[in-house]
Amino acid sequence: MMPTLFHTRWMFAALAAACGLAAGLTMAAIPAPDGTIRACYHKKSGRLRVVDEGASCKGKEIVLSWAQPGTPGPQGLTGADGTPGEPATRLWAVVDSNGILLRGIGVTVPVGTDLGAAGNTRAVPFDRDLSDCAWVAAIGGDHLNAGVSKGFITSTLSPNVQTVKVSMSDTDNASVENQGFHVIVFC
């Protein structure tokens, strides 16, 4: 038997009502946005029913709610200090424009040593493996008032992993006259 127009309308109305009911249930706010759960308690029967926020209790019921914030407790005790971390390793060197080590910490050659090599590269040897360290070099004068010269500086770790090679070049990547520089290593 084929559904009639009446049956089709009835089925559509029932489907719409079911969808509306499902949407209403999904939109219920239990618990409320502030975390409170409300219920209605019937004094005589002892029946308790959880209700949505804003819903009214019936005749002989009273409203109960949970999750009301209490007063804050006292501040807890301060915890013990943690163990100090390892200090950062400080390795550094200042080299003049002639390639002479002026001062440094962790450098394996004495002050006054010529660190020069052919061309514009200087090799600065340190007293430990630098493969897990970070290093940076900057063109700089031999003393505070010497100023900064032009050019670029690069620093690389040599194959022996204890020496930082510092090279200088100009904007055309051509070697430039040797200049003083500072190199610092953080491990």
Side-chain angles (χ1 to χ4, degrees), residues 120-124 126 130 133-139 152-158 163-169 181-185:
N120 66 335
T121 299
R122 302 286 187 243
V124 184
F126 289 97
L130 305 177
C133 303
W135 55 89
V136 64
I139 296 174
F152 293 100
I153 192 165
T154 58
S155 55
T156 57
L157 188 61
S158 70
T163 302
V164 176
K165 289 186 176 182
V166 178
S167 302
M168 288 152 274
S169 59
F181 64 89
H182 308 172
V183 63
I184 188 165
V185 181

Side-chain angles (χ1 to χ4, degrees), residues 14 30 52 61 66 73 76 80 85 91 124 131 136 145 153 164 174 187:
I30 301 174
D52 194 10
E61 294 177 327
W66 292 267
L91 306 172
V124 184
S131 55
V136 64
N145 297 322
I153 192 165
V164 176
C187 297

Side-chain angles (χ1 to χ4, degrees), residues 104-149:
I105 292 180
V107 183
T108 59
V109 296
V111 169
T113 300
D114 185 354
L115 302 175
N120 66 335
T121 299
R122 302 286 187 243
V124 184
F126 289 97
D127 62 3
R128 66 196 72 191
D129 181 340
L130 305 177
S131 55
D132 288 331
C133 303
W135 55 89
V136 64
I139 296 174
D142 306 342
H143 52 83
L144 292 176
N145 297 322
V148 177
S149 302

